[in-house]
Amino acid sequence: MASSLTASQEEASKARLPLSYRDGCSALLVKLNASRRENGYMPWHSEHERHAYEKCQYDDYVRRMKELSKQKLAASE
């Protein structure tokens, strides 16, 4: 079940993403890394891409923590 934020296996391999970074936000990371390479890693050129990637990572973290708390609550009952 791939979302629009998930890069395909082919795209991730082409972008040389490590396996640990191939998560639900991998498509945003591919764009961020491409922007960084194009602009010589100058941080002010890739601010929007970095913010979008970090927001996706945070939203994923919050979602996982909510699922964990639901599981803990269900286990305690």
Side-chain angles (χ1 to χ4, degrees):
M1 184 157 74
S3 71
S4 63
L5 300 177
T6 305
S8 69
Q9 201 63 9
E10 208 173 87
E11 292 171 329
S13 294
K14 187 177 177 184
R16 296 184 305 168
L17 283 183
L19 290 176
S20 59
Y21 289 95
R22 296 180 188 191
D23 58 3
C25 303
S26 59
L28 295 173
L29 183 58
V30 169
K31 290 178 187 176
L32 173 60
N33 287 341
S35 175
R36 285 175 171 166
R37 282 190 294 275
E38 288 171 9
N39 296 307
Y41 289 87
M42 294 182 193
W44 55 88
H45 286 288
S46 304
E47 283 180 358
H48 177 72
E49 290 87 356
R50 193 186 92 218
H51 178 72
Y53 175 69
E54 289 176 351
K55 173 107 171 77
C56 180
Q57 289 289 94
Y58 176 74
D59 290 343
D60 185 49
Y61 171 77
V62 169
R63 181 192 53 78
R64 287 183 287 123
M65 290 302 110
K66 285 181 181 178
E67 285 179 17
L68 181 64
S69 63
K70 284 179 186 177
Q71 288 176 358
K72 285 183 178 180
L73 183 63
S76 69
E77 293 177 349

